[in-house]
Amino acid sequence: MTDCGQTRKLTRAKLVVLGGQNCGKTGKARQTAINECVGSAASSLESSIRWGDGFLLMYSITDRCSFESISRLKRLIDHSKQTLGIPTVIVANKSDMENGRVVRTEEGQSLASDLRCHFYELSVAEGSSAVEAAFAQLVREVRLEFCRHLLAMDKRSRVLQVRHALRNKLTRSKTMQW
Ligand SMILES: Nc1nc2c(ncn2[C@@H]2O[C@H](COP(=O)(O)OP(=O)(O)OP(=O)(O)O)[C@@H](O)[C@H]2O)c(=O)[nH]1
């Protein structure tokens, strides 16, 4: 077991909800009663991405444009963070509006699988338990990433310590030879 959860804790995950207009971002952020910081794209997109630790990308099943913007947003996040491993979940909202559906569930699932993200189809308006589940998944991923980061830093600092000790030893033996 690692110590990253015990000695150094991630006190708050910074979560950002991004997506096209009218897809339900505001409702979702407001509904989420978890102890995390939730932001949406009120500031510029770039600064929201820089600020965030985890991203919830939302589209509406009644709006194909919002669906098509998801890949672009994911690319922007990957580019800005310079890594593909940023915690991200994809949410298809307005599942209660079956009559107006223009994006099939399988399309959302397939996109999420291509982008290696968890996928949820839900209705913010109906307040389904999937809303909480999506955020909980994102928080879990952010915590996991934080642990990975700490472990990598610990490993790097151990390597530096060993290198330093070796250098000291080598310097001492050289001094003795002289
Ligand atoms: N039927 C239905 N309507 C929803 C749902 N979620 C949000 N809405 C409605 O969609 C509209 C837009 O919701 P918002 O939460 O303001 O969407 P937004 O993405 O923050 O919108 P922008 O401010 O334009 O970015 C509102 O009229 C909501 O009531 C849902 O799950 N089902």
Side-chain angles (χ1 to χ4, degrees), residues 61-162:
I61 64 158
T62 63
D63 175 3
R64 184 156 285 276
C65 273
S66 70
F67 174 68
E68 283 163 1
S69 71
I70 298 293
S71 303
R72 187 179 54 84
L73 285 169
K74 180 68 168 66
R75 270 199 305 276
L76 267 176
I77 293 167
D78 294 344
H79 179 74
S80 164
K81 300 286 194 188
Q82 295 287 302
T83 164
L84 301 178
I86 296 300
T88 307
V89 302
I90 295 178
V91 167
N93 189 30
K94 307 200 183 181
S95 64
D96 57 302
M97 295 186 67
E98 203 49 54
N99 286 342
R101 180 189 281 278
V102 294
V103 184
R104 286 178 294 116
T105 305
E106 302 76 53
E107 292 181 88
Q109 285 167 334
S110 162
L111 176 70
S113 153
D114 289 349
L115 299 178
R116 296 175 189 214
C117 300
H118 278 86
F119 174 74
Y120 296 83
E121 190 169 278
L122 50 80
S123 165
V124 170
E126 288 185 338
S128 67
S129 59
V131 176
E132 293 299 320
F135 266 108
Q137 175 63 33
L138 188 55
V139 171
R140 265 197 304 278
E141 288 184 25
V142 168
R143 295 220 163 107
L144 203 64
E145 193 53 36
F146 181 72
C147 276
R148 279 200 203 107
H149 179 70
L150 285 185
L151 287 174
M153 284 199 333
D154 280 353
K155 198 170 161 193
R156 208 172 304 139
S157 94
R158 272 200 304 275
V159 168
L160 286 177
Q161 275 171 12
V162 170

